[in-house]
Amino acid sequence: MSKLIDGKAFADRLCDTLSSEIASLKQAHQLSPCIAVVLVGEDPASATYVGAKVRRCEQLGIDSRSHHLPATTSEADLLALIEQLNTDPEVHGILVQLPVPKHIDSNSVINAINPDKDVDGFHISNAGALAVGQNNMVPCTPLGSLMLLQDELGDLSGLNAVVVGRSNIVGKPMAALLLQQSCTVTVAHSRTKDLPAVCREADILVAAVGIPHFIQGDWIKPGATVIDVGINRIQDSETGKNRLVGDVDFAAAKDVAGAITPVPGGVGPMTIACLMYNTVRAAKNQAGIKD
Ligand code: GUN
């Protein structure tokens, strides 16, 4: 049986540290970190994620300003709100929950955010900075995944890392971070030939495809460290109830992997903790306070 990587416990520890830092920023610098969270439309999964983010802010003493806009909001109106938040000195971080409705171009929205307030790290200049090793705001899910890997394995240098998935939110920034740690990185995707054989080479396997139970137990190298980024809602065949599962067939993988993140309780809590981390860093940067 593999070791379970407890992302919830790691996230709680990170948030405890941030909570103390926020208290001292308020006391010593009269600085109150603040994030604006924008949700457009009624997607229930997005509403759940936004709710979890806002609750974590409250726990840590980060001010959050929620902007819930109707699904019919025009792109121009959304861009106008972002511009207002960009110029508001009290707002240090701006998060627009994705996906946005189809009539809005998500790249235009992401690139309208001031890169220094882009706590998601999705702005084209933050993506470019990451690609050339001049990290500014780093996307939360890959950052949290890297923290778990370093906690588990220490130095990652020379390890074979396979990232399955090439999204701008997870796959590409994850690959960039692992490359910065001197891993030998392969980015696999839907067109990869003999994906099982590619995965079997991985000392570190990051699954970010968004397909429940996609990665099979016999695709995993014995002893590998597996990071399961998937959050998929499926109906349990026995109970008929909805439950969350990852992109990895956990029941099979847990007998092969050396260590594995569970779903829920693995990467998910780290994504939110890293959003808090980025918000505190953004606030300090904007106030001219050194890390
Ligand atoms: N949708 C899915 N994941 C994310 C995320 O990390 N940030 C935002 N803004 N939207 C998302």
Side-chain angles (χ1 to χ4, degrees), residues 119-132:
V119 283
D120 264 325
F122 297 161
H123 190 283
I124 194 166
S125 78
N126 284 324
L130 179 63
V132 295

Side-chain angles (χ1 to χ4, degrees), residues 46 49 53 95-99 120 122 140-141 169 271:
S46 290
Y49 296 142
K53 290 168 185 179
L95 178 145
V96 180
Q97 186 67 27
L98 302 176
D120 264 325
F122 297 161
C140 304
T141 300
I169 294 182
T271 297

Side-chain angles (χ1 to χ4, degrees), residues 120-205:
D120 264 325
F122 297 161
H123 190 283
I124 194 166
S125 78
N126 284 324
L130 179 63
V132 295
Q134 298 175 32
N135 302 11
N136 182 32
M137 288 289 148
V138 174
C140 304
T141 300
L143 181 59
S145 299
L146 179 68
M147 288 178 185
L148 293 179
L149 283 167
Q150 289 179 316
D151 187 55
E152 183 59 33
L153 296 170
D155 182 13
L156 307 183
S157 158
L159 296 176
N160 277 342
V162 175
V163 180
V164 188
R166 54 175 157 176
S167 70
N168 292 343
I169 294 182
V170 185
K172 284 178 203 160
M174 185 78 248
L177 286 173
L178 290 166
L179 192 56
Q180 286 178 6
Q181 297 305 314
S182 302
C183 291
T184 302
V185 181
T186 303
V187 182
H189 47 77
S190 53
R191 301 285 178 90
T192 296
K193 287 189 183 135
D194 200 355
L195 181 60
V198 172
C199 291
R200 275 183 212 112
E201 294 296 314
D203 303 310
I204 294 170
L205 183 62

